[in-house]
Amino acid sequence: GAGVSQSPSNKVTEKGKDVELRCDPISGHTALYWYRQSLGQGLEFLIYFQGNSAPDKSGLPSDRFSAERTGGSVSTLTIQRTQQEDSAVYLCASSSSSGSYSGNTIYFGEGSWLTVV
Amino acid sequence: GESVGLHLPTLSVQEGDNSIINCAYSNSASDYFIWYKQESGKGPQFIIDIRSNMDKRQGQRVTVLLNKTVKHLSLQIAATQPGDSAVYFCAESRNFGTGTSLTVIP
């Protein structure tokens, strides 16, 4: 597609359940990012994938959070045993990382709104 | 660690006035900065960027100023309009500042 696509757009889940959030980056973009944004807050970096390199997982808040990127394209963010504090918007983004300065511009999806009840 | 942060979390301006949003960064080696605008319910979108070899860059109604001496950049919006109401983030690579919520008062 033309932009970063995320699904589901909204998810309500019960505490303790696992959830999977999907991201389809812009075609040809080698870099993919996941951020979390709580209501009225800034962007919290979670994880970064670049090509075939090992992902930067330094932002994952706990071992309940994991992400994978298959075939260098689609990514899935998994949250196990969800807690109420996991409620937030999960934003996926991608960039071309072409080596030029403009390759650093990050393009965001509309986000997946997660509510844990 | 390195950080990118904003001085003011909220800003209210009258329609038609100019807006200035500030951002401080700590990594003196940073060489590229981007401003993003996030409207309610949407993901952040690119507004304007600046490289460290520049101190000013202008777009349509927006200007970004970079002061490398004090590691500070600002986003100026001329003749602010209701559609400018949003949260604005400065970013260096994948590191985003806290964000400033701009409200335009009609």
Side-chain angles (χ1 to χ4, degrees), chain A residues 4-75:
Chain A
V4 177
S5 178
Q6 292 188 245
S7 62
S9 55
N10 286 282
K11 175 72 175 180
V12 180
T13 190
E14 292 182 350
K15 178 181 174 181
K17 300 277 188 173
D18 298 351
V19 295
E20 287 189 348
L21 307 176
R22 175 190 166 100
C23 174
D24 198 346
I26 292 173
S27 178
H29 279 191
T30 59
L32 186 146
Y33 315 75
W34 282 99
Y35 290 86
R36 178 169 72 174
Q37 187 175 34
S38 299
L39 188 64
Q41 300 298 312
L43 298 174
E44 178 187 2
F45 167 77
L46 297 178
I47 190 168
Y48 163 66
F49 296 89
Q50 173 57 59
N52 295 320
S53 302
D56 176 356
K57 303 179 181 180
S58 60
L60 294 178
S62 76
D63 59 7
R64 294 189 295 105
F65 289 73
S66 63
E68 62 177 20
R69 188 180 186 190
T70 55
S73 179
V74 172
S75 176

Side-chain angles (χ1 to χ4, degrees), chain B residues 21-34:
Chain B
I21 301 170
N22 297 304
C23 179
Y25 62 95
S26 58
N27 184 359
S28 56
S30 298
D31 61 357
Y32 182 63
F33 302 90
I34 303 173

Side-chain angles (χ1 to χ4, degrees), chain B residues 20-71:
Chain B
I20 300 176
I21 301 170
N22 297 304
C23 179
Y25 62 95
S26 58
N27 184 359
S28 56
S30 298
D31 61 357
Y32 182 63
F33 302 90
I34 303 173
W35 281 97
Y36 292 84
K37 174 185 180 182
Q38 184 179 27
E39 296 178 278
S40 180
K42 298 184 178 181
Q45 289 189 310
F46 171 93
I47 304 174
I48 190 168
D49 58 0
I50 188 167
R51 294 170 55 175
S52 61
N53 62 352
M54 306 169 68
D55 53 20
K56 181 179 180 179
R57 189 164 189 212
Q58 288 184 294
Q60 185 176 14
R61 286 201 304 116
V62 295
T63 301
V64 56
L65 300 178
L66 175 62
N67 185 330
K68 294 179 289 293
T69 302
V70 295
K71 291 184 283 187

